[in-house]
Structures are given as C-alpha cells and as structure tokens.
C-alpha cells in the first residue's frame, strides 16, 4: 500500500461511520442536499429503513448504485440486536437483549387480550438508587443509544406469534429514561414520526422517577406522549429514602410541574405507587395522597411490590391495596391496581436485573 493509500485507510478507520438508525430526517435531508440528490431521497431511505425493514444499503433497490455507494461511505446500518427469550406461564415474555459491548438489557412483552405492551429499557442499569428496585443494584453501566432503544422493538417483533402485534410501548424497563434525555428524544422521534416507525405517540408512555427539568422538556417537545410519574410516597421524608432523587427534586416541585400543565395534558399523567407493607400503605398515606393530588384529575396506578433477592420490603396485602384504592376513589381520584405479570421469570416491575455476559 502506498503511503497515501495507507493514510486514507487510517483516516477512514479513525472516523467511524454513523449509524443510519441514529439519524433524524432533517440530518439525512442535509446529507442528501449536500450530495446534490433530490430532496425526496431522504424520506425514501428512511422508508426503507423503518417501514420496509432494509438491513443494508444494497436492499434499497430504487436508489442509484452511485448514491448507495455514497451512503455507504458515510453510514452503516446496525443490525437489530440478538435476544434470548424466556416465557412466563401468563404469556409474558422477557427478552435478554445483547448489546455490542457485552452489556445486556431486558425488554418485556406483556400481552393482555388485544393489547400487547412492550416494556422498554433506556439504560443498562440505573443510577437512581431506588430502594425497592432490583435494577438499582446494578448501578449505572451506561446510557443506551437511540438505535439500542429502538432495536428492542425490532427484537421484540421477532418474538411475536403470527397475528400478534405490539400496540403499546412503555419506558418502564431498566433505567431512568429522562436521565438519558438526548438519546430518548431521538428514539421517540424515530418511533412516533411518519418518516420513522409511525407509532402513535398516544401509545407511548415515558415513566420517570421525577427529574423535573427533563420532564418539562419532554412534555414540551413530545406533547402527545404519555407521562407516568413514579411517586411511591406522600412525604419528602419517606420519598427521600425510597427514591433518593427526591432530595434534588422534592415532592412539591414534582407535583407543581404536573399542576402547571395545560389541562388536557394534565389529564394524561399517571402516578405510579408501589405498595410496600407497613411503609407507605396506610389509610393516612392514602388520605395524604388525595390531598396532594387534589384538583389534578390524576390517575393513580397502585403496583404490587415484586420482591427480589434481599429486598428489604414485603408486598402489601390485597386488603391493604384495595382499602387504599377505595380511599383514593372516595377522594375523586381514578385508581387502578396493576396486577403483577411475569413474576416467575423475574420480568415483573423492579425485577429486571441483567447479568453481564462476561460476569
Ligand atoms: N425509572 C423509571 C422507569 C423504570 S421503573 C421510573 O422510575 O419510573 C418502572 C416502574 O416500576 C416504576 O413505577 C417503579 O417504581 C416500579 N418498580 C420498581 N421496582 C419495583 C418492584 N420491586 N416492584 C414493583 N414495582 C417496581
């Protein structure tokens, strides 16, 4: 190899190709314009990628060979990640999704009649350190890229039975989605745009422990995506302990942020409340919750605590959960009880604790 050629090869190796699966339409449009191609080519490429399932540039058969070569010089298309699936007796399927660097994350398919929900992870591990959550034990390994977030959808689709289709998407897997905001936002754009996967934003829910500034940004940038706030306590003293991020964003700022929303948007906030025996499940807690959420027309989702190894909590009794629900309903709150699914394969909320492959 001549010196010059050697240099060129070294430069190419130093500048890694961008993953087409990370790109926003506008970015591809700029690339197309700079390449002197017709503007509609950008949408055409995105359509191949997100609707027609192309895994290579060569599959994009109505592009010129020249333009395909140009694309190849600047981009790669990451393959959908591989996944191993475990099936629960209740139909819930847990996917262990392998990422390129040996990290693994979990996604869960939860069928319930015609509704098939995919529970997505946003980070490998989590830094939020909630005391009742198994993922917290891992600590934060790293943020997922937008391609890794949407890659879970491709991996899940491969596990569906004929005729089955994903209908709802919830960011309630591993990680705190709003602690990974830029990549989450990219993934949400790809998921909900007409040029991307074309999923209705009303079928997407982002669940957060309450990172208030990022929450406000999400609501402004994705006004139709649903928000779920993990509350779990009615006093700062208890919430500081259960969800330590409360020390930075205390209850009042969290609830005020929800109260500040336009009324239509406010109606679509769900508060999640994990029921911990003798900790946050008393009638006095329920009454405080009614006062705290008064006037919000909020929905409260009561969740049975799913135990994991060495967890310092026990689930509330069904009687306690139903009594709590009754007080909320008397206080004009909509309160539902979330039945736990997939416990036998540790796929239930708070049980996601992927082991490193190399571990
Ligand atoms: N970090 C985000 C999303 C992941 S957790 C958040 O905090 O909302 C998704 C839901 O599972 C949250 O409401 C969380 O509180 C709940 N959860 C966590 N551990 C749980 C456990 N052991 N049992 C039941 N629910 C749990």
């Amino acid at each position: 190899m001549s010196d010059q050629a050697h240099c060129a090869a070294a430069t190419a190796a130093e500048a890694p190709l961008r993953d087409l699966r990370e790109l926003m339409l506008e970015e591809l449009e700029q690339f197309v314009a700079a390449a002197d191609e017709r503007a509609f080519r950008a949408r055409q490429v995105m359509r191949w990628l997100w609707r027609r399932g192309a895994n290579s540039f060569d599959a994009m058969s109505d592009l010129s060979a020249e333009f395909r070569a140009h694309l190849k010089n600047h981009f790669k298309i990451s393959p959908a990640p591989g996944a191993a699936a475990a099936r629960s007796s209740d139909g819930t399927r847990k996917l262990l999704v392998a990422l390129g660097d040996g990290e693994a994350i979990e996604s869960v398919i939860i069928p319930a009649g015609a509704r098939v929900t995919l529970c997505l992870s946003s980070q490998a591990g989590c830094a939020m350190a909630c005391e009742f959550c198994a993922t917290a034990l891992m600590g934060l390994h790293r943020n997922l890229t937008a391609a890794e977030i949407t890659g879970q959808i491709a991996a899940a689709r491969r596990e569906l039975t004929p005729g089955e289709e994903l209908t709802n998407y919830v960011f309630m897997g591993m990680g705190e989605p709003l602690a990974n905001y830029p990549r989450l936002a990219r993934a949400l754009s790809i998921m909900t745009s007409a040029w991307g996967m074309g999923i209705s934003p009303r079928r997407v829910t982002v669940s957060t422990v309450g990172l208030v500034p990022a929450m406000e940004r999400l609501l402004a940038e994705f006004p139709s995506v649903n928000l779920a706030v993990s509350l779990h306590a009615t006093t700062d003293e208890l919430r500081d302990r259960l969800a330590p991020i409360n020390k930075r964003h205390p209850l009042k700022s969290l609830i005020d942020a929800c109260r500040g929303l336009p009324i239509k948007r406010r109606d679509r906030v769900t508060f999640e409340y994990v029921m911990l025996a003798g900790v946050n499940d008393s009638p006095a807690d329920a009454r405080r919750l009614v006062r705290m959420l008064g006037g919000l027309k909020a929905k409260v989702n009561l969740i049975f605590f799913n135990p994991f190894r060495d967890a310092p909590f026990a689930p509330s009794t069904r009687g306690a959960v139903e009594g709590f629900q009754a007080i909320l309903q008397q206080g004009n709150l909509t309160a539902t009880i979330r039945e736990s699914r997939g416990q036998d394969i540790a796929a239930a909320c708070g049980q996601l604790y992927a082991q490193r492959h190399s571990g």
Side-chain angles (χ1 to χ4, degrees), residues 132-133 171-173 175-177 207-209 230 232 272 274 303-306 308 349-350:
F132 51 85
C133 179
F171 283 90
M172 296 186 187
E176 167 52 43
S207 179
T208 178
V209 71
S230 293
H232 315 314
E272 297 162 276
V274 177
I303 309 173
F304 277 98
F305 170 65
N306 295 308
F308 53 90
C349 287

mmCIF file with all atom_site columns, all heavy atoms in Angstrom, residues 132-133 171-173 175-177 207-209 230 232 272 274 303-306 308 349-350, ligand 1:
data_model
loop_
_atom_site.group_PDB
_atom_site.id
_atom_site.type_symbol
_atom_site.label_atom_id
_atom_site.label_alt_id
_atom_site.label_comp_id
_atom_site.label_asym_id
_atom_site.label_entity_id
_atom_site.label_seq_id
_atom_site.pdbx_PDB_ins_code
_atom_site.Cartn_x
_atom_site.Cartn_y
_atom_site.Cartn_z
_atom_site.occupancy
_atom_site.B_iso_or_equiv
_atom_site.pdbx_formal_charge
_atom_site.auth_seq_id
_atom_site.auth_comp_id
_atom_site.auth_asym_id
_atom_site.auth_atom_id
_atom_site.pdbx_PDB_model_num
ATOM   1   N N   . PHE A 1 132 ? -36.380 -0.004  46.396 1.00 0.00 ? 132 PHE A N   1
ATOM   2   C CA  . PHE A 1 132 ? -37.272 -1.152  46.184 1.00 0.00 ? 132 PHE A CA  1
ATOM   3   C C   . PHE A 1 132 ? -37.111 -1.748  44.792 1.00 0.00 ? 132 PHE A C   1
ATOM   4   O O   . PHE A 1 132 ? -37.925 -2.559  44.352 1.00 0.00 ? 132 PHE A O   1
ATOM   5   C CB  . PHE A 1 132 ? -38.726 -0.695  46.359 1.00 0.00 ? 132 PHE A CB  1
ATOM   6   C CG  . PHE A 1 132 ? -39.015 0.517   45.534 1.00 0.00 ? 132 PHE A CG  1
ATOM   7   C CD1 . PHE A 1 132 ? -39.374 0.387   44.207 1.00 0.00 ? 132 PHE A CD1 1
ATOM   8   C CD2 . PHE A 1 132 ? -38.828 1.795   46.059 1.00 0.00 ? 132 PHE A CD2 1
ATOM   9   C CE1 . PHE A 1 132 ? -39.569 1.495   43.419 1.00 0.00 ? 132 PHE A CE1 1
ATOM   10  C CE2 . PHE A 1 132 ? -39.025 2.912   45.265 1.00 0.00 ? 132 PHE A CE2 1
ATOM   11  C CZ  . PHE A 1 132 ? -39.399 2.759   43.946 1.00 0.00 ? 132 PHE A CZ  1
ATOM   12  N N   . CYS A 1 133 ? -36.064 -1.323  44.048 1.00 0.00 ? 133 CYS A N   1
ATOM   13  C CA  . CYS A 1 133 ? -35.938 -1.723  42.639 1.00 0.00 ? 133 CYS A CA  1
ATOM   14  C C   . CYS A 1 133 ? -34.671 -2.527  42.415 1.00 0.00 ? 133 CYS A C   1
ATOM   15  O O   . CYS A 1 133 ? -33.578 -2.106  42.808 1.00 0.00 ? 133 CYS A O   1
ATOM   16  C CB  . CYS A 1 133 ? -35.940 -0.484  41.748 1.00 0.00 ? 133 CYS A CB  1
ATOM   17  S SG  . CYS A 1 133 ? -35.758 -0.890  40.000 1.00 0.00 ? 133 CYS A SG  1
ATOM   18  N N   . PHE A 1 171 ? -41.823 2.987   28.697 1.00 0.00 ? 171 PHE A N   1
ATOM   19  C CA  . PHE A 1 171 ? -40.431 3.034   29.172 1.00 0.00 ? 171 PHE A CA  1
ATOM   20  C C   . PHE A 1 171 ? -40.436 2.757   30.667 1.00 0.00 ? 171 PHE A C   1
ATOM   21  O O   . PHE A 1 171 ? -40.292 3.656   31.477 1.00 0.00 ? 171 PHE A O   1
ATOM   22  C CB  . PHE A 1 171 ? -39.795 4.378   28.830 1.00 0.00 ? 171 PHE A CB  1
ATOM   23  C CG  . PHE A 1 171 ? -39.400 4.469   27.383 1.00 0.00 ? 171 PHE A CG  1
ATOM   24  C CD1 . PHE A 1 171 ? -40.292 4.946   26.432 1.00 0.00 ? 171 PHE A CD1 1
ATOM   25  C CD2 . PHE A 1 171 ? -38.148 4.037   26.965 1.00 0.00 ? 171 PHE A CD2 1
ATOM   26  C CE1 . PHE A 1 171 ? -39.936 5.010   25.087 1.00 0.00 ? 171 PHE A CE1 1
ATOM   27  C CE2 . PHE A 1 171 ? -37.785 4.095   25.620 1.00 0.00 ? 171 PHE A CE2 1
ATOM   28  C CZ  . PHE A 1 171 ? -38.677 4.577   24.684 1.00 0.00 ? 171 PHE A CZ  1
ATOM   29  N N   . MET A 1 172 ? -40.674 1.472   30.994 1.00 0.00 ? 172 MET A N   1
ATOM   30  C CA  . MET A 1 172 ? -40.715 1.054   32.393 1.00 0.00 ? 172 MET A CA  1
ATOM   31  C C   . MET A 1 172 ? -39.775 -0.115  32.627 1.00 0.00 ? 172 MET A C   1
ATOM   32  O O   . MET A 1 172 ? -39.903 -0.854  33.590 1.00 0.00 ? 172 MET A O   1
ATOM   33  C CB  . MET A 1 172 ? -42.141 0.662   32.798 1.00 0.00 ? 172 MET A CB  1
ATOM   34  C CG  . MET A 1 172 ? -43.125 1.823   32.740 1.00 0.00 ? 172 MET A CG  1
ATOM   35  S SD  . MET A 1 172 ? -44.728 1.360   33.371 1.00 0.00 ? 172 MET A SD  1
ATOM   36  C CE  . MET A 1 172 ? -45.687 2.837   32.961 1.00 0.00 ? 172 MET A CE  1
ATOM   37  N N   . GLY A 1 173 ? -38.821 -0.287  31.719 1.00 0.00 ? 173 GLY A N   1
ATOM   38  C CA  . GLY A 1 173 ? -37.826 -1.336  31.904 1.00 0.00 ? 173 GLY A CA  1
ATOM   39  C C   . GLY A 1 173 ? -36.660 -0.790  32.713 1.00 0.00 ? 173 GLY A C   1
ATOM   40  O O   . GLY A 1 173 ? -36.837 0.049   33.594 1.00 0.00 ? 173 GLY A O   1
ATOM   41  N N   . GLY A 1 175 ? -33.582 1.378   33.861 1.00 0.00 ? 175 GLY A N   1
ATOM   42  C CA  . GLY A 1 175 ? -33.057 2.721   33.640 1.00 0.00 ? 175 GLY A CA  1
ATOM   43  C C   . GLY A 1 175 ? -34.056 3.825   33.866 1.00 0.00 ? 175 GLY A C   1
ATOM   44  O O   . GLY A 1 175 ? -35.262 3.603   33.988 1.00 0.00 ? 175 GLY A O   1
ATOM   45  N N   . GLU A 1 176 ? -33.528 5.048   33.959 1.00 0.00 ? 176 GLU A N   1
ATOM   46  C CA  . GLU A 1 176 ? -34.351 6.242   34.102 1.00 0.00 ? 176 GLU A CA  1
ATOM   47  C C   . GLU A 1 176 ? -34.306 6.967   32.748 1.00 0.00 ? 176 GLU A C   1
ATOM   48  O O   . GLU A 1 176 ? -33.289 7.571   32.385 1.00 0.00 ? 176 GLU A O   1
ATOM   49  C CB  . GLU A 1 176 ? -33.802 7.128   35.227 1.00 0.00 ? 176 GLU A CB  1
ATOM   50  C CG  . GLU A 1 176 ? -34.356 8.530   35.275 1.00 0.00 ? 176 GLU A CG  1
ATOM   51  C CD  . GLU A 1 176 ? -35.892 8.609   35.264 1.00 0.00 ? 176 GLU A CD  1
ATOM   52  O OE1 . GLU A 1 176 ? -36.543 7.827   35.967 1.00 0.00 ? 176 GLU A OE1 1
ATOM   53  O OE2 . GLU A 1 176 ? -36.423 9.458   34.536 1.00 0.00 ? 176 GLU A OE2 1
ATOM   54  N N   . PRO A 1 177 ? -35.415 6.899   31.982 1.00 0.00 ? 177 PRO A N   1
ATOM   55  C CA  . PRO A 1 177 ? -35.382 7.448   30.624 1.00 0.00 ? 177 PRO A CA  1
ATOM   56  C C   . PRO A 1 177 ? -34.965 8.914   30.575 1.00 0.00 ? 177 PRO A C   1
ATOM   57  O O   . PRO A 1 177 ? -34.250 9.325   29.666 1.00 0.00 ? 177 PRO A O   1
ATOM   58  C CB  . PRO A 1 177 ? -36.816 7.253   30.110 1.00 0.00 ? 177 PRO A CB  1
ATOM   59  C CG  . PRO A 1 177 ? -37.607 6.678   31.232 1.00 0.00 ? 177 PRO A CG  1
ATOM   60  C CD  . PRO A 1 177 ? -36.696 6.252   32.312 1.00 0.00 ? 177 PRO A CD  1
ATOM   61  N N   . SER A 1 207 ? -42.015 6.673   31.671 1.00 0.00 ? 207 SER A N   1
ATOM   62  C CA  . SER A 1 207 ? -42.151 6.638   33.126 1.00 0.00 ? 207 SER A CA  1
ATOM   63  C C   . SER A 1 207 ? -40.889 7.221   33.750 1.00 0.00 ? 207 SER A C   1
ATOM   64  O O   . SER A 1 207 ? -39.777 6.853   33.389 1.00 0.00 ? 207 SER A O   1
ATOM   65  C CB  . SER A 1 207 ? -42.348 5.183   33.581 1.00 0.00 ? 207 SER A CB  1
ATOM   66  O OG  . SER A 1 207 ? -42.462 5.107   34.985 1.00 0.00 ? 207 SER A OG  1
ATOM   67  N N   . THR A 1 208 ? -41.076 8.152   34.694 1.00 0.00 ? 208 THR A N   1
ATOM   68  C CA  . THR A 1 208 ? -39.909 8.790   35.314 1.00 0.00 ? 208 THR A CA  1
ATOM   69  C C   . THR A 1 208 ? -40.026 8.820   36.825 1.00 0.00 ? 208 THR A C   1
ATOM   70  O O   . THR A 1 208 ? -41.116 8.905   37.380 1.00 0.00 ? 208 THR A O   1
ATOM   71  C CB  . THR A 1 208 ? -39.717 10.235  34.797 1.00 0.00 ? 208 THR A CB  1
ATOM   72  O OG1 . THR A 1 208 ? -38.589 10.808  35.482 1.00 0.00 ? 208 THR A OG1 1
ATOM   73  C CG2 . THR A 1 208 ? -40.941 11.102  35.062 1.00 0.00 ? 208 THR A CG2 1
ATOM   74  N N   . VAL A 1 209 ? -38.867 8.778   37.463 1.00 0.00 ? 209 VAL A N   1
ATOM   75  C CA  . VAL A 1 209 ? -38.818 8.904   38.918 1.00 0.00 ? 209 VAL A CA  1
ATOM   76  C C   . VAL A 1 209 ? -38.993 10.381  39.315 1.00 0.00 ? 209 VAL A C   1
ATOM   77  O O   . VAL A 1 209 ? -39.136 10.698  40.481 1.00 0.00 ? 209 VAL A O   1
ATOM   78  C CB  . VAL A 1 209 ? -37.504 8.284   39.453 1.00 0.00 ? 209 VAL A CB  1
ATOM   79  C CG1 . VAL A 1 209 ? -36.304 9.145   39.081 1.00 0.00 ? 209 VAL A CG1 1
ATOM   80  C CG2 . VAL A 1 209 ? -37.568 8.035   40.949 1.00 0.00 ? 209 VAL A CG2 1
ATOM   81  N N   . SER A 1 230 ? -43.363 8.121   38.888 1.00 0.00 ? 230 SER A N   1
ATOM   82  C CA  . SER A 1 230 ? -43.242 7.146   39.970 1.00 0.00 ? 230 SER A CA  1
ATOM   83  C C   . SER A 1 230 ? -43.171 7.890   41.292 1.00 0.00 ? 230 SER A C   1
ATOM   84  O O   . SER A 1 230 ? -42.179 8.534   41.606 1.00 0.00 ? 230 SER A O   1
ATOM   85  C CB  . SER A 1 230 ? -41.983 6.295   39.766 1.00 0.00 ? 230 SER A CB  1
ATOM   86  O OG  . SER A 1 230 ? -42.139 5.500   38.606 1.00 0.00 ? 230 SER A OG  1
ATOM   87  N N   . HIS A 1 232 ? -44.729 6.895   44.891 1.00 0.00 ? 232 HIS A N   1
ATOM   88  C CA  . HIS A 1 232 ? -44.403 5.944   45.969 1.00 0.00 ? 232 HIS A CA  1
ATOM   89  C C   . HIS A 1 232 ? -44.465 6.486   47.387 1.00 0.00 ? 232 HIS A C   1
ATOM   90  O O   . HIS A 1 232 ? -44.327 5.721   48.350 1.00 0.00 ? 232 HIS A O   1
ATOM   91  C CB  . HIS A 1 232 ? -43.020 5.309   45.790 1.00 0.00 ? 232 HIS A CB  1
ATOM   92  C CG  . HIS A 1 232 ? -42.731 4.848   44.419 1.00 0.00 ? 232 HIS A CG  1
ATOM   93  N ND1 . HIS A 1 232 ? -43.641 4.121   43.668 1.00 0.00 ? 232 HIS A ND1 1
ATOM   94  C CD2 . HIS A 1 232 ? -41.659 5.028   43.610 1.00 0.00 ? 232 HIS A CD2 1
ATOM   95  C CE1 . HIS A 1 232 ? -43.120 3.866   42.488 1.00 0.00 ? 232 HIS A CE1 1
ATOM   96  N NE2 . HIS A 1 232 ? -41.939 4.412   42.417 1.00 0.00 ? 232 HIS A NE2 1
ATOM   97  N N   . GLU A 1 272 ? -47.552 6.437   39.597 1.00 0.00 ? 272 GLU A N   1
ATOM   98  C CA  . GLU A 1 272 ? -47.340 5.044   39.986 1.00 0.00 ? 272 GLU A CA  1
ATOM   99  C C   . GLU A 1 272 ? -46.953 5.003   41.467 1.00 0.00 ? 272 GLU A C   1
ATOM   100 O O   . GLU A 1 272 ? -46.197 5.854   41.954 1.00 0.00 ? 272 GLU A O   1
ATOM   101 C CB  . GLU A 1 272 ? -46.218 4.424   39.140 1.00 0.00 ? 272 GLU A CB  1
ATOM   102 C CG  . GLU A 1 272 ? -46.560 4.363   37.658 1.00 0.00 ? 272 GLU A CG  1
ATOM   103 C CD  . GLU A 1 272 ? -45.321 4.163   36.812 1.00 0.00 ? 272 GLU A CD  1
ATOM   104 O OE1 . GLU A 1 272 ? -44.651 5.165   36.497 1.00 0.00 ? 272 GLU A OE1 1
ATOM   105 O OE2 . GLU A 1 272 ? -45.023 3.007   36.488 1.00 0.00 ? 272 GLU A OE2 1
ATOM   106 N N   . VAL A 1 274 ? -45.861 2.082   44.242 1.00 0.00 ? 274 VAL A N   1
ATOM   107 C CA  . VAL A 1 274 ? -45.557 0.698   44.633 1.00 0.00 ? 274 VAL A CA  1
ATOM   108 C C   . VAL A 1 274 ? -45.954 0.511   46.092 1.00 0.00 ? 274 VAL A C   1
ATOM   109 O O   . VAL A 1 274 ? -45.531 1.279   46.960 1.00 0.00 ? 274 VAL A O   1
ATOM   110 C CB  . VAL A 1 274 ? -44.055 0.392   44.464 1.00 0.00 ? 274 VAL A CB  1
ATOM   111 C CG1 . VAL A 1 274 ? -43.745 -1.017  44.942 1.00 0.00 ? 274 VAL A CG1 1
ATOM   112 C CG2 . VAL A 1 274 ? -43.633 0.532   43.005 1.00 0.00 ? 274 VAL A CG2 1
ATOM   113 N N   . ILE A 1 303 ? -49.288 -0.473  42.479 1.00 0.00 ? 303 ILE A N   1
ATOM   114 C CA  . ILE A 1 303 ? -48.497 -1.608  41.980 1.00 0.00 ? 303 ILE A CA  1
ATOM   115 C C   . ILE A 1 303 ? -48.109 -2.527  43.139 1.00 0.00 ? 303 ILE A C   1
ATOM   116 O O   . ILE A 1 303 ? -47.565 -2.056  44.142 1.00 0.00 ? 303 ILE A O   1
ATOM   117 C CB  . ILE A 1 303 ? -47.198 -1.102  41.298 1.00 0.00 ? 303 ILE A CB  1
ATOM   118 C CG1 . ILE A 1 303 ? -47.522 -0.016  40.256 1.00 0.00 ? 303 ILE A CG1 1
ATOM   119 C CG2 . ILE A 1 303 ? -46.436 -2.247  40.668 1.00 0.00 ? 303 ILE A CG2 1
ATOM   120 C CD1 . ILE A 1 303 ? -46.292 0.658   39.661 1.00 0.00 ? 303 ILE A CD1 1
ATOM   121 N N   . PHE A 1 304 ? -48.407 -3.786  42.993 1.00 0.00 ? 304 PHE A N   1
ATOM   122 C CA  . PHE A 1 304 ? -47.929 -4.736  43.998 1.00 0.00 ? 304 PHE A CA  1
ATOM   123 C C   . PHE A 1 304 ? -46.406 -4.787  43.950 1.00 0.00 ? 304 PHE A C   1
ATOM   124 O O   . PHE A 1 304 ? -45.827 -4.923  42.868 1.00 0.00 ? 304 PHE A O   1
ATOM   125 C CB  . PHE A 1 304 ? -48.478 -6.142  43.732 1.00 0.00 ? 304 PHE A CB  1
ATOM   126 C CG  . PHE A 1 304 ? -49.861 -6.340  44.265 1.00 0.00 ? 304 PHE A CG  1
ATOM   127 C CD1 . PHE A 1 304 ? -50.966 -6.221  43.439 1.00 0.00 ? 304 PHE A CD1 1
ATOM   128 C CD2 . PHE A 1 304 ? -50.067 -6.626  45.611 1.00 0.00 ? 304 PHE A CD2 1
ATOM   129 C CE1 . PHE A 1 304 ? -52.252 -6.393  43.930 1.00 0.00 ? 304 PHE A CE1 1
ATOM   130 C CE2 . PHE A 1 304 ? -51.344 -6.795  46.112 1.00 0.00 ? 304 PHE A CE2 1
ATOM   131 C CZ  . PHE A 1 304 ? -52.443 -6.678  45.278 1.00 0.00 ? 304 PHE A CZ  1
ATOM   132 N N   . PHE A 1 305 ? -45.774 -4.683  45.097 1.00 0.00 ? 305 PHE A N   1
ATOM   133 C CA  . PHE A 1 305 ? -44.316 -4.783  45.149 1.00 0.00 ? 305 PHE A CA  1
ATOM   134 C C   . PHE A 1 305 ? -43.890 -6.191  44.725 1.00 0.00 ? 305 PHE A C   1
ATOM   135 O O   . PHE A 1 305 ? -44.428 -7.185  45.215 1.00 0.00 ? 305 PHE A O   1
ATOM   136 C CB  . PHE A 1 305 ? -43.825 -4.485  46.569 1.00 0.00 ? 305 PHE A CB  1
ATOM   137 C CG  . PHE A 1 305 ? -42.370 -4.797  46.773 1.00 0.00 ? 305 PHE A CG  1
ATOM   138 C CD1 . PHE A 1 305 ? -41.385 -4.078  46.090 1.00 0.00 ? 305 PHE A CD1 1
ATOM   139 C CD2 . PHE A 1 305 ? -41.974 -5.814  47.635 1.00 0.00 ? 305 PHE A CD2 1
ATOM   140 C CE1 . PHE A 1 305 ? -40.042 -4.378  46.264 1.00 0.00 ? 305 PHE A CE1 1
ATOM   141 C CE2 . PHE A 1 305 ? -40.639 -6.108  47.813 1.00 0.00 ? 305 PHE A CE2 1
ATOM   142 C CZ  . PHE A 1 305 ? -39.672 -5.392  47.131 1.00 0.00 ? 305 PHE A CZ  1
ATOM   143 N N   . ASN A 1 306 ? -42.953 -6.258  43.809 1.00 0.00 ? 306 ASN A N   1
ATOM   144 C CA  . ASN A 1 306 ? -42.392 -7.543  43.383 1.00 0.00 ? 306 ASN A CA  1
ATOM   145 C C   . ASN A 1 306 ? -41.081 -7.775  44.128 1.00 0.00 ? 306 ASN A C   1
ATOM   146 O O   . ASN A 1 306 ? -40.121 -7.057  43.903 1.00 0.00 ? 306 ASN A O   1
ATOM   147 C CB  . ASN A 1 306 ? -42.128 -7.541  41.883 1.00 0.00 ? 306 ASN A CB  1
ATOM   148 C CG  . ASN A 1 306 ? -43.414 -7.434  41.100 1.00 0.00 ? 306 ASN A CG  1
ATOM   149 O OD1 . ASN A 1 306 ? -44.348 -8.194  41.310 1.00 0.00 ? 306 ASN A OD1 1
ATOM   150 N ND2 . ASN A 1 306 ? -43.483 -6.452  40.217 1.00 0.00 ? 306 ASN A ND2 1
ATOM   151 N N   . PHE A 1 308 ? -37.492 -9.161  45.322 1.00 0.00 ? 308 PHE A N   1
ATOM   152 C CA  . PHE A 1 308 ? -36.300 -9.724  44.703 1.00 0.00 ? 308 PHE A CA  1
ATOM   153 C C   . PHE A 1 308 ? -35.345 -10.055 45.838 1.00 0.00 ? 308 PHE A C   1
ATOM   154 O O   . PHE A 1 308 ? -35.600 -9.728  47.003 1.00 0.00 ? 308 PHE A O   1
ATOM   155 C CB  . PHE A 1 308 ? -35.685 -8.743  43.689 1.00 0.00 ? 308 PHE A CB  1
ATOM   156 C CG  . PHE A 1 308 ? -35.422 -7.372  44.253 1.00 0.00 ? 308 PHE A CG  1
ATOM   157 C CD1 . PHE A 1 308 ? -34.220 -7.061  44.856 1.00 0.00 ? 308 PHE A CD1 1
ATOM   158 C CD2 . PHE A 1 308 ? -36.418 -6.383  44.200 1.00 0.00 ? 308 PHE A CD2 1
ATOM   159 C CE1 . PHE A 1 308 ? -33.990 -5.801  45.386 1.00 0.00 ? 308 PHE A CE1 1
ATOM   160 C CE2 . PHE A 1 308 ? -36.184 -5.124  44.735 1.00 0.00 ? 308 PHE A CE2 1
ATOM   161 C CZ  . PHE A 1 308 ? -34.972 -4.837  45.335 1.00 0.00 ? 308 PHE A CZ  1
ATOM   162 N N   . CYS A 1 349 ? -42.125 -5.656  37.167 1.00 0.00 ? 349 CYS A N   1
ATOM   163 C CA  . CYS A 1 349 ? -41.552 -4.345  37.501 1.00 0.00 ? 349 CYS A CA  1
ATOM   164 C C   . CYS A 1 349 ? -40.544 -4.483  38.616 1.00 0.00 ? 349 CYS A C   1
ATOM   165 O O   . CYS A 1 349 ? -40.824 -5.105  39.632 1.00 0.00 ? 349 CYS A O   1
ATOM   166 C CB  . CYS A 1 349 ? -42.627 -3.402  38.027 1.00 0.00 ? 349 CYS A CB  1
ATOM   167 S SG  . CYS A 1 349 ? -43.738 -2.815  36.800 1.00 0.00 ? 349 CYS A SG  1
ATOM   168 N N   . GLY A 1 350 ? -39.412 -3.872  38.430 1.00 0.00 ? 350 GLY A N   1
ATOM   169 C CA  . GLY A 1 350 ? -38.437 -3.836  39.515 1.00 0.00 ? 350 GLY A CA  1
ATOM   170 C C   . GLY A 1 350 ? -37.649 -5.125  39.669 1.00 0.00 ? 350 GLY A C   1
ATOM   171 O O   . GLY A 1 350 ? -36.818 -5.239  40.548 1.00 0.00 ? 350 GLY A O   1
HETATM 172 N N1  . LIG B 2 .   ? -37.009 4.887   36.169 1.00 0.00 ? 1   LIG B N1  1
HETATM 173 C C1  . LIG B 2 .   ? -38.360 4.926   35.709 1.00 0.00 ? 1   LIG B C1  1
HETATM 174 C C2  . LIG B 2 .   ? -38.777 3.719   34.898 1.00 0.00 ? 1   LIG B C2  1
HETATM 175 C C3  . LIG B 2 .   ? -38.402 2.350   35.387 1.00 0.00 ? 1   LIG B C3  1
HETATM 176 S S1  . LIG B 2 .   ? -39.299 1.670   36.722 1.00 0.00 ? 1   LIG B S1  1
HETATM 177 C C4  . LIG B 2 .   ? -39.290 5.168   36.866 1.00 0.00 ? 1   LIG B C4  1
HETATM 178 O O1  . LIG B 2 .   ? -38.834 5.223   37.997 1.00 0.00 ? 1   LIG B O1  1
HETATM 179 O O2  . LIG B 2 .   ? -40.481 5.357   36.646 1.00 0.00 ? 1   LIG B O2  1
HETATM 180 C C5  . LIG B 2 .   ? -40.922 1.368   36.182 1.00 0.00 ? 1   LIG B C5  1
HETATM 181 C C6  . LIG B 2 .   ? -41.897 1.208   37.367 1.00 0.00 ? 1   LIG B C6  1
HETATM 182 O O3  . LIG B 2 .   ? -41.612 0.006   38.132 1.00 0.00 ? 1   LIG B O3  1
HETATM 183 C C7  . LIG B 2 .   ? -41.770 2.359   38.353 1.00 0.00 ? 1   LIG B C7  1
HETATM 184 O O4  . LIG B 2 .   ? -43.012 2.862   38.726 1.00 0.00 ? 1   LIG B O4  1
HETATM 185 C C8  . LIG B 2 .   ? -41.069 1.693   39.514 1.00 0.00 ? 1   LIG B C8  1
HETATM 186 O O5  . LIG B 2 .   ? -41.303 2.370   40.666 1.00 0.00 ? 1   LIG B O5  1
HETATM 187 C C9  . LIG B 2 .   ? -41.673 0.301   39.504 1.00 0.00 ? 1   LIG B C9  1
HETATM 188 N N2  . LIG B 2 .   ? -40.934 -0.645  40.322 1.00 0.00 ? 1   LIG B N2  1
HETATM 189 C C10 . LIG B 2 .   ? -39.615 -0.638  40.575 1.00 0.00 ? 1   LIG B C10 1
HETATM 190 N N3  . LIG B 2 .   ? -39.276 -1.649  41.390 1.00 0.00 ? 1   LIG B N3  1
HETATM 191 C C11 . LIG B 2 .   ? -40.410 -2.327  41.661 1.00 0.00 ? 1   LIG B C11 1
HETATM 192 C C12 . LIG B 2 .   ? -40.708 -3.509  42.439 1.00 0.00 ? 1   LIG B C12 1
HETATM 193 N N4  . LIG B 2 .   ? -39.747 -4.192  43.073 1.00 0.00 ? 1   LIG B N4  1
HETATM 194 N N5  . LIG B 2 .   ? -41.983 -3.920  42.475 1.00 0.00 ? 1   LIG B N5  1
HETATM 195 C C13 . LIG B 2 .   ? -42.948 -3.270  41.791 1.00 0.00 ? 1   LIG B C13 1
HETATM 196 N N6  . LIG B 2 .   ? -42.723 -2.168  41.045 1.00 0.00 ? 1   LIG B N6  1
HETATM 197 C C14 . LIG B 2 .   ? -41.468 -1.697  40.979 1.00 0.00 ? 1   LIG B C14 1
#
